[in-house]
Amino acid sequence: MGEVILTMEGIDKSFPGVHALDNVSFELRRGEVHALMGENGAGKSTLMKVLTGIYKKDSGTITYDGKEVEFSNPREAQHAGIVIVHQELNMLGHLTVAQNIFIGNEYMKGVLIDDARMNAEAAKLFKRLNIDIDPAETMSKLTVGKQQMCEIAKAISHEAKVIVFDEPSAALTESEVSELFEIIRDLKKKDIGIIYITHRMDEVKVITDRVSVMRDGAYVGTLISENSTKNDIINMMVGRVIYEEPKMASKVPKDAPVVLRVEHLNAGRLVQDVSFELHKGEILGFSGLMGAGRTETARAIFGADIKESGDIYINGRKVEIHSPEDAVKCGIGYLSEDRKRFGIVVQRSVAENSTMAYLENFMRGLFINKKKERMEAEKYVESLAIKTPGVDQLVVDLSGGNQQKVVLAKWLVRNCDILIFDEPTRGIDVGAKSDIYKLMNDLVKEGKSIIMISSEMPEVLRMSDRIVVMCEGRKSGELGIEEATQEKIMHLATQEN
Amino acid sequence: MTRQLQKMPDLSKKIIQRLGGQRVAVFLIVAALFSFFCIASPNFRKYSTTLSILDYSYYIALIGIGVSFPLITGGVDLSIGTGLVCYSLIGGYLVVYQGWPVWLGMIVCILCGVIIGALNGVLVGVMNLPPFLATLCTMMMTRGLGSIFSTGLGISWPSLGQEGGWFRTIFKLNIGGYKLPLGFLWILLLVVLMSTVLNRTKVGRYIIAIGSNKEATRLAGINIKTYYIITYIISGVFAGIAAIAYSAIFASVYPGTGAGFELEGIGGAIIGGVSMTGGVGNIVGTLLGVFVICILKTGLPFIGLQANWQQIITGIVLITAVLIDLIRHKRAMKLVTAALKKQ
Amino acid sequence: MDKIRQNPLVKALGFNRIVLCLVLLGMYGFFALFANNFVSYNRILSAMNYAYFLGFLAIGVTFVIATGGIDFSIGPVMFCAAIMSGYLLTHFHWPLWLCLIASIVVGMLYGTFHGYLVAYKSIPSFITSMAIMQMSKGIASVFTKAQSVSWPQLAQENGWYRNLIKIKAGSTYIPVGLIILLAAAIICSILLNKTKMGRYFLSLGSNREAVRLSGVDVRKWEMRAYMICGTMAGIAAIFFVAAYTTVQPGYGDQYNNEAIAGCVMGGTSMVGGLASVGGTFIGVMIISILQEGILAIGLNKNYQLVITGLIVIVAVFLDVLSRRRKN
């Protein structure tokens, strides 16, 4: 490890309602692989976005190569030698690999682009990195893993001094991961500093020198990878900052009837042979890492995506669900993780949104009975404590937590018995969070059943009666609340097959 | 020996891949249509018919080449049809009524195309209007402008023999009573030129990139506004050249016409493999696609269908082409998912 | 400014609609000053002739734009309906009432076809619009062998349909058409704001996926918007011939833009989710006065094409701007 190339000190960043980064510090040396770990939402990506100029920091200093810097966009950071390999790919599917790598920096021969030279340069680059990709191949024809390799190659082509990898291994196969590690070791030798964001514990030992852990937007500490154990890191990541004590025991009677049974559900790469049961009055937590296939499972059950095979039983009776319409008729409601895209109709009012799924109940002949609609909406505005000037308010003007409650109201109006909450508290401030928790507990007391998908471990432990853990599209385990601990869940979620 | 045998189909596959499967298919359709009409009607076999197919093809091919560029960015340019008539009317008015030399009139045509194209580009790229709406407006505006300029009259550019009539020989040369379709040569040259622009220059590269993933292109530090404007200027310039071709082929130009030409150009491009979803397209394919439409257009009267059926047929052909494009897109997505699953 | 917006009376009528009415009055005043003999009942009647069919077209396309789509085949479709039903009347001697129904049915069939392609086959609506525009022109020409069709005059046999726009009462005319259009606008406004269908149109224009995930069959509803639009074009055809009697195949596309202009001026957003039939109604009145005024100050019809184009660009740009500011 060489001298320090990058230090970030006292970085603060707030978004409306969320304190995303709270006095975070970080240090990187030349030729070092520094792992950055933490749960989803711990602030790792935000920190990197502040570093590369995508976000503007509120306070704190960034010192790079001996000088204090502040980049106003990723391109500036790139020119200075800091590049980021994003988790989501920024590829141009219709262009070739070489054309992608050199986009914006084409080699020219007069007015014409010198594709031959670009191919040759790309081939040289691949050879140096020991990757087997044809530079003239069309990007969209490569596997996601290979595409990721191209992104990495593109980053390296920029003469970088610092490279940030944002969960590079998430989409890679095992052999591709070892290829990636070879590349990283090679980069290390060239004295390039590498920030490596990951969720996989076992990678820390294999490839990194140091590991820094973040939690809830704050810096927790740094360990030397060699001297640390998996448990050390997990303990640092999960901490003990839970708003309340976790549920100690399930209150659901053992013989509670099964309201929903899913058998051998298959839908694409991220839903493979998933089976589980949901009991009446139960909150079933779905835990796992990002991209483990939880949302995909929920969408397949709800009929939002096409499923390939699998049976769904509701109250013991087999049902055919081919569209959300069918699912709603079966009494299932789905609260999406992406409210803006899938949950609310932003340009319409609170009242209109809340009756969206059950408009037929508010008809008087041909016309919508607006009085009844408003009364029903007002009822839920009150019982869910939705903060809005009135039910005619456009949903776009509400805060995230209140938008979430409007979506919930939509399903309560429909009187759905089975509710799927997908990341119910994402992007919601702390106060609104406990409101949502209380609501969920009230709902199950009324005899409704809830599937709760959540990436926040304390939330899962606090709310669930049972926990299903998913890993890479498969169900990797199921835990009763009595036996579940954060460590156990993390082990199941990071299970290597 | 066996190894050689195994290699053979690989080679032919490679050749087809190089030429582009779609282009080969469209070429076969062109050939099949041509043969069909030749068999069905003796009159179709005459040289004069081939000439008239080519006559019709010039302006459609030109706007087809031009509109391929906005289509590849994921947009569209509806103003090219009425635009070409408008430019021809303006240029013709200046030549016929104001005594401007013909070459200057031709330059005016192209210049008008540049102006309207730049306007489209600003509306789409800078002001963020939906492309179809922005160009729908310029479509109507060019239609009105053309009529205003020509004071509502049809305009006849100088005919052969008159002063300035030489420009008609650009597209059809008369040597010893034998007519040579010179225009086809220019079309071929322009196809080669624009293929190069699309595939070998920064402009083309970034146009494809924008159609492929607008956000990623912007993040790569490319000023996409500029390239939107360039895209629509290309389309406008080709509408201008098409105006010259149209004036040279037809005796007169009438205000109020031109609506519907854009459909033939866009239809040709889509048949030729330009994808509605953006990012995909090639100019050779567009040319072949245009010929599918031109042969249908010229051939149908020979088998006893009135000229009016052409409009219906072009509509159906367009919808079919888009449907095929969408199905292809879906299948490609499926293949990618399948490949991922195998992993 | 904000104070005016908050005024309960202004709120009830809609700020945008009041501004539009002022524009309408201003425009009328402008032409009254600068055009000869503009202020007369006959002028208004003549302007209204234009407003009737355009009003039906614009109200129809308001539904489609509310769902986030577009239909610019309505002009030619209207012509096709007028030509086919007129041909049935004059050449096949169908009874008049049946021809009027036929006109509506033709429009509805086009709308259904259009809606099917957009909703169930996922073809972008501007492509289908283009294709259907051409097809409807072609079908009309094929039907009449490219002849234009003249509907009977008022005094002739079967001429009573012309009373649909105005009835002579003594020495003056009663503008029946205005009453019918107003009634249609009110019905459509109720349809859009008070029924399940209208609610779904607006919602799926705002966020199609969220509506689908609420368990609504979005494809069915999307198709219906186009059906209504087509049907309205069929009705517009009746009012077109009642005003002008003669229709020629191969034309009609200029009315697309004018209908869309009326729509976006009236506050219907091109991005979908926001629509106002009342606004469309006023927008159509503005376009109609504009076209009458342009003729009255001695300019020809072509200026209207250019001006309408500019109006649409400005109206849509303002819409894009206001949305950007909100986000």
Side-chain angles (χ1 to χ4, degrees):
Chain A
M1 270 198 282
E3 63 198 275
V4 172
I5 183 165
L6 174 76
T7 27
M8 301 175 81
E9 263 176 285
I11 307 288
D12 250 59
K13 174 75 197 169
S14 289
F15 297 107
V18 191
H19 200 168
L21 294 177
D22 182 7
N23 194 19
V24 177
S25 299
F26 183 81
E27 177 200 86
L28 181 72
R29 290 169 185 276
R30 288 182 195 275
E32 172 194 37
V33 181
H34 196 143
L36 188 55
M37 301 193 76
E39 289 186 316
N40 295 328
K44 300 162 295 186
S45 293
T46 314
L47 184 67
M48 291 304 112
K49 282 178 178 165
V50 167
L51 171 65
T52 50
I54 295 172
Y55 293 154
K56 212 172 144 57
K57 61 183 186 296
D58 297 340
S59 65
T61 55
I62 302 174
T63 316
Y64 167 65
D65 218 3
K67 286 187 291 284
E68 184 173 342
V69 289
E70 169 139 25
F71 304 114
S72 52
N73 61 50
R75 203 163 166 74
E76 264 179 36
Q78 207 177 75
H79 281 303
I82 301 178
V83 292
I84 181 161
V85 180
H86 287 282
Q87 196 175 2
E88 66 269 31
L89 300 165
N90 281 315
M91 56 143 194
L92 304 159
H94 299 299
L95 295 181
T96 70
V97 170
Q99 289 168 354
N100 261 279
I101 290 177
F102 294 106
I103 189 83
N105 301 304
E106 283 83 1
Y107 287 109
M108 303 299 288
K109 202 156 63 183
V111 290
L112 296 184
I113 291 176
D114 195 348
D115 269 310
R117 174 144 178 238
M118 275 161 45
N119 280 342
E121 292 290 332
K124 248 191 254 169
L125 193 64
F126 287 147
K127 197 167 175 206
R128 204 173 82 205
L129 299 173
N130 222 346
I131 312 174
D132 178 31
I133 297 174
D134 177 5
E137 181 64 278
T138 308
M139 198 66 165
S140 59
K141 286 189 183 151
L142 299 185
T143 62
V144 178
K146 296 262 190 218
Q147 287 174 359
Q148 181 94 38
M149 293 292 181
C150 293
E151 283 277 306
I152 294 167
K154 182 172 160 186
I156 293 164
S157 78
H158 284 123
E159 304 280 320
K161 289 183 202 155
V162 172
I163 301 179
V164 181
F165 289 99
D166 193 353
E167 293 205 48
S169 57
L172 301 188
T173 63
E174 217 157 305
S175 64
E176 283 169 334
V177 171
S178 50
E179 267 178 51
L180 173 70
F181 287 174
E182 279 311 308
I183 295 169
I184 290 179
R185 286 190 190 107
D186 198 49
L187 294 172
K188 259 178 80 162
K189 276 188 211 130
K190 298 195 176 83
D191 257 3
I192 293 171
I194 291 166
I195 302 172
Y196 191 90
I197 300 177
T198 183
H199 269 118
R200 297 191 178 176
M201 293 294 158
D202 38 343
E203 289 181 349
V204 174
K205 270 251 151 73
V206 180
I207 191 73
T208 69
D209 301 305
R210 285 193 292 175
V211 49
S212 285
V213 177
M214 288 181 72
R215 185 175 65 222
D216 296 332
Y219 169 77
V220 180
T222 303
L223 302 171
I224 305 291
S225 306
E226 236 178 320
N227 308 334
S228 59
T229 66
K230 194 169 172 175
N231 283 335
D232 292 341
I233 300 170
I234 288 179
N235 281 336
M236 283 173 79
M237 278 169 68
V238 295
R240 287 291 99 174
V241 278
I242 298 176
Y243 317 105
E244 256 176 47
E245 281 307 299
K247 214 179 242 183
M248 295 317 289
S250 167
K251 291 192 191 93
V252 181
K254 278 272 176 306
D255 56 348
V258 174
V259 288
L260 172 74
R261 192 163 89 238
V262 175
E263 281 183 0
H264 308 293
L265 185 68
N266 279 290
R269 186 171 65 96
L270 287 173
V271 185
Q272 295 181 34
D273 197 32
V274 175
S275 306
F276 66 90
E277 286 179 347
L278 175 69
H279 295 271
K280 190 174 167 67
E282 177 183 52
I283 297 179
L284 179 63
F286 260 66
S287 193
L289 301 177
M290 225 182 260
R294 295 165 301 164
T295 297
E296 288 74 8
T297 306
R299 285 179 60 96
I301 294 169
F302 192 63
D305 294 333
I306 296 164
K307 57 174 174 287
E308 286 147 15
S309 62
D311 298 322
I312 296 172
Y313 299 83
I314 288 186
N315 296 324
R317 208 163 47 85
K318 189 173 173 199
V319 291
E320 294 295 332
I321 295 178
H322 298 295
S323 68
E325 207 185 344
D326 297 336
V328 171
K329 281 194 186 121
C330 291
I332 305 177
Y334 173 61
L335 290 83
S336 165
E337 58 177 333
D338 194 341
R339 287 184 291 277
K340 280 241 158 62
R341 270 175 68 204
F342 302 126
I344 50 171
V345 182
V346 285
Q347 296 290 346
R348 312 306 308 174
S349 72
V350 171
E352 289 177 35
N353 267 282
S354 51
T355 56
M356 182 68 68
Y358 204 26
L359 209 46
E360 46 278 30
N361 197 36
F362 296 88
M363 302 302 289
R364 195 167 51 195
L366 276 174
F367 303 113
I368 296 170
N369 186 345
K370 294 216 175 174
K371 206 169 150 200
K372 189 174 170 193
E373 181 180 44
R374 289 175 57 103
M375 273 168 57
E376 186 83 353
E378 272 160 12
K379 194 173 105 193
Y380 282 102
V381 164
E382 197 177 321
S383 69
L384 302 182
I386 301 174
K387 287 193 197 80
T388 166
V391 290
D392 296 326
Q393 185 73 14
L394 295 191
V395 180
V396 69
D397 300 324
L398 301 186
S399 73
N402 286 307
Q403 289 180 348
Q404 182 70 293
K405 287 179 186 172
V406 172
V407 183
L408 178 58
K410 173 170 84 181
W411 297 118
L412 296 181
V413 167
R414 175 82 209 195
N415 202 14
C416 289
D417 287 327
I418 300 166
L419 292 166
I420 306 175
F421 284 77
D422 195 348
E423 303 286 0
T425 61
R426 174 173 292 170
I428 290 178
D429 54 50
V430 178
K433 260 185 193 177
S434 39
D435 277 2
I436 301 262
Y437 294 151
K438 188 172 164 297
L439 279 172
M440 289 170 74
N441 283 329
D442 290 348
L443 287 172
V444 289
K445 261 181 224 149
E446 286 168 26
K448 307 217 182 285
S449 315
I450 293 177
I451 293 173
M452 183 188 72
I453 299 170
S454 174
S455 298
E456 282 184 49
M457 206 78 77
E459 181 170 292
V460 172
L461 286 172
R462 171 181 165 162
M463 299 302 298
S464 316
D465 297 300
R466 262 184 322 129
I467 298 161
V468 168
V469 186
M470 285 189 72
C471 176
E472 290 175 5
R474 294 175 185 280
K475 179 173 151 184
S476 58
E478 195 176 309
L479 299 165
I481 191 66
E482 296 82 0
E483 49 175 334
T485 61
Q486 302 205 15
E487 291 77 7
K488 273 189 191 163
I489 294 174
M490 194 58 104
H491 278 289
L492 282 171
T494 54
Q495 192 180 56
E496 289 285 313
N497 31 343
Chain B
M1 186 65 195
T2 41
R3 271 186 68 178
Q4 253 176 354
L5 272 179
Q6 272 172 350
K7 257 189 178 167
M8 273 303 286
D10 252 25
L11 195 68
S12 61
K13 229 192 250 166
K14 252 200 181 138
I15 291 170
I16 289 178
Q17 222 167 35
R18 256 230 116 90
L19 290 170
Q22 172 115 9
R23 263 168 287 180
V24 175
V26 179
F27 182 75
L28 291 178
I29 292 173
V30 171
L33 273 176
F34 193 76
S35 328
F36 167 76
F37 284 120
C38 279
I39 294 164
S41 153
N43 283 329
F44 193 82
R45 281 169 238 160
K46 288 183 183 158
Y47 179 59
S48 63
T49 310
T50 311
L51 269 184
S52 90
I53 294 175
L54 287 174
D55 278 353
Y56 269 110
S57 75
Y58 297 149
Y59 73 95
I60 301 177
L62 285 165
I63 54 176
I65 295 169
V67 82
S68 296
F69 287 80
L71 284 172
I72 290 171
T73 62
V76 73
D77 187 349
L78 301 175
S79 71
I80 45 177
T82 52
L84 90 83
V85 169
C86 169
Y87 313 149
S88 169
L89 285 170
I90 294 177
Y93 177 82
L94 293 174
V95 170
V96 177
Y97 293 98
Q98 303 294 331
W100 290 31
V102 165
W103 61 269
L104 204 58
M106 287 160 65
I107 291 178
V108 166
C109 284
I110 295 178
L111 223 57
C112 290
V114 172
I115 294 167
I116 297 294
L119 175 63
N120 283 332
V122 169
L123 292 177
V124 173
V126 182
M127 287 163 71
N128 281 321
L129 299 195
F132 70 86
L133 194 76
T135 57
L136 186 68
C137 290
T138 46
M139 171 182 177
M140 284 295 140
M141 287 163 73
T142 47
R143 186 167 157 175
L145 281 174
S147 307
I148 291 169
F149 227 89
S150 69
T151 56
L153 301 168
I155 283 180
S156 309
W157 285 61
S159 52
L160 261 182
Q162 282 178 322
E163 195 196 335
W166 58 268
F167 89 102
R168 294 192 185 254
T169 57
I170 300 176
F171 289 91
K172 200 153 49 176
L173 204 55
N174 213 333
I175 298 178
Y178 219 71
K179 286 174 181 158
L180 278 182
L182 202 54
F184 190 60
L185 183 70
W186 307 131
I187 300 282
L188 284 184
L189 281 177
L190 283 173
V191 166
V192 172
L193 177 71
M194 293 324 280
S195 281
T196 317
V197 169
L198 182 64
N199 298 314
R200 297 292 308 277
T201 67
K202 274 193 183 180
V203 171
R205 181 65 42 86
Y206 296 160
I207 285 173
I208 297 175
I210 288 172
S212 191
N213 187 341
K214 186 174 155 187
E215 199 48 32
T217 312
R218 207 174 59 82
L219 280 181
I222 291 154
N223 185 350
I224 55 175
K225 283 177 191 168
T226 315
Y227 286 94
Y228 269 119
I229 295 174
I230 293 175
T231 305
Y232 285 90
I233 287 181
I234 292 177
S235 177
V237 165
F238 272 84
I241 304 176
I244 298 172
Y246 192 82
S247 320
I249 295 297
F250 297 98
S252 312
V253 196
Y254 296 98
T257 57
F261 293 175
E262 74 283 352
L263 184 75
E264 288 163 358
I266 294 169
I270 293 179
I271 295 168
V274 175
S275 169
M276 282 307 307
T277 40
V280 182
N282 68 86
I283 308 298
V284 179
T286 299
L287 183 67
L288 289 169
V290 164
F291 272 100
V292 171
I293 288 181
C294 289
I295 292 175
L296 272 178
K297 223 178 143 162
T298 330
L300 287 175
F302 283 87
I303 55 166
L305 282 178
Q306 311 159 40
N308 303 313
W309 281 92
Q310 291 163 2
Q311 290 175 316
I312 307 177
I313 305 260
T314 357
I316 294 172
V317 167
L318 180 72
I319 290 177
T320 320
V322 178
L323 271 179
I324 292 172
D325 175 42
L326 285 173
I327 291 166
R328 222 174 26 201
H329 187 71
K330 243 185 228 164
R331 214 178 44 190
M333 297 288 280
K334 236 183 218 163
L335 280 178
V336 171
T337 341
L340 284 176
K341 217 170 177 184
K342 245 188 219 160
Q343 243 180 56
Chain C
M1 195 68 181
D2 271 349
K3 239 185 194 167
I4 302 174
R5 275 176 192 271
Q6 295 307 323
N7 184 310
L9 186 69
V10 173
K11 243 186 171 172
L13 290 170
F15 181 73
N16 290 341
R17 262 165 277 178
I18 292 173
V19 171
L20 271 183
C21 284
L22 291 178
V23 169
L24 180 61
L25 286 177
M27 187 174 281
Y28 190 78
F30 174 83
F31 286 121
L33 280 178
F34 292 99
N36 292 327
N37 301 326
F38 196 71
V39 190
S40 77
Y41 187 54
N42 278 340
R43 273 285 186 201
I44 294 186
L45 277 184
S46 153
M48 285 306 112
N49 274 350
Y50 203 76
Y52 301 148
F53 77 89
L54 195 63
F56 280 101
L57 285 182
I59 291 172
V61 82
T62 302
F63 285 93
V64 168
I65 296 179
T67 66
I70 187 75
D71 186 346
F72 52 86
S73 66
I74 41 174
V77 164
M78 171 181 83
F79 264 45
C80 183
I83 287 167
M84 289 176 82
S85 52
Y87 200 73
L88 292 174
L89 182 73
T90 52
H91 285 71
F92 294 101
H93 306 292
W94 284 27
L96 180 60
W97 60 271
L98 198 60
C99 292
L100 297 184
I101 292 175
S103 170
I104 299 174
V105 169
V106 168
M108 194 171 71
L109 286 177
Y110 274 112
T112 312
F113 179 55
H114 197 170
Y116 172 76
L117 290 177
V118 173
Y120 287 90
K121 292 286 159 203
S122 319
I123 304 182
S125 54
F126 71 91
I127 289 281
T128 49
S129 291
M130 258 195 315
I132 289 173
M133 181 156 80
Q134 273 325 84
M135 287 166 76
S136 60
K137 281 185 191 171
I139 288 170
S141 317
V142 168
F143 201 74
T144 66
K145 304 189 182 60
Q147 299 296 308
S148 62
V149 171
S150 287
W151 284 61
Q153 297 293 333
L154 185 57
Q156 291 172 312
E157 191 197 350
N158 277 337
W160 62 262
Y161 74 96
R162 298 205 71 187
N163 287 327
L164 281 173
I165 57 168
K166 53 187 176 191
I167 290 180
K168 195 159 183 163
S171 60
T172 168
Y173 285 100
I174 303 170
V176 188
L178 188 62
I179 299 165
I180 298 177
L181 181 62
L182 254 174
I186 291 170
I187 292 172
C188 286
S189 188
I190 291 172
L191 217 56
L192 192 65
N193 294 308
K194 301 248 188 271
T195 67
K196 191 157 90 169
M197 181 166 74
R199 173 72 57 84
Y200 286 152
F201 286 170
L202 289 168
S203 304
L204 79 94
S206 174
N207 189 344
R208 194 180 196 274
E209 200 50 24
V211 179
R212 187 175 81 95
L213 289 181
S214 298
V216 176
D217 187 349
V218 285
R219 292 187 295 189
K220 182 175 86 184
W221 296 105
E222 194 171 18
M223 177 160 149
R224 287 189 186 171
Y226 288 86
M227 283 172 73
I228 291 178
C229 182
T231 311
M232 293 299 263
I235 298 174
I238 297 171
F239 283 85
F240 187 88
V241 290
Y244 304 107
T245 60
T246 305
V247 240
Q248 207 180 348
Y251 291 93
D253 22 10
Q254 68 199 44
Y255 305 120
N256 298 329
N257 227 32
E258 289 171 5
I260 294 169
C263 217
V264 292
M265 262 198 289
T268 298
S269 166
M270 282 313 295
V271 203
L274 273 179
S276 153
V277 175
T280 300
F281 182 83
I282 306 171
V284 165
M285 291 298 153
I286 293 178
I287 300 271
S288 306
I289 296 286
L290 178 73
Q291 91 100 27
E292 191 65 27
I294 283 175
L295 295 177
I297 57 174
L299 294 174
N300 61 33
K301 174 85 193 145
N302 298 307
Y303 285 89
Q304 170 135 21
L305 289 174
V306 180
I307 294 171
T308 324
L310 285 174
I311 290 176
V312 177
I313 288 175
V314 172
V316 175
F317 182 56
L318 289 178
D319 179 42
V320 170
L321 266 191
S322 74
R323 275 182 188 246
R324 203 184 295 162
R325 213 173 316 136
K326 248 190 188 159
N327 290 331

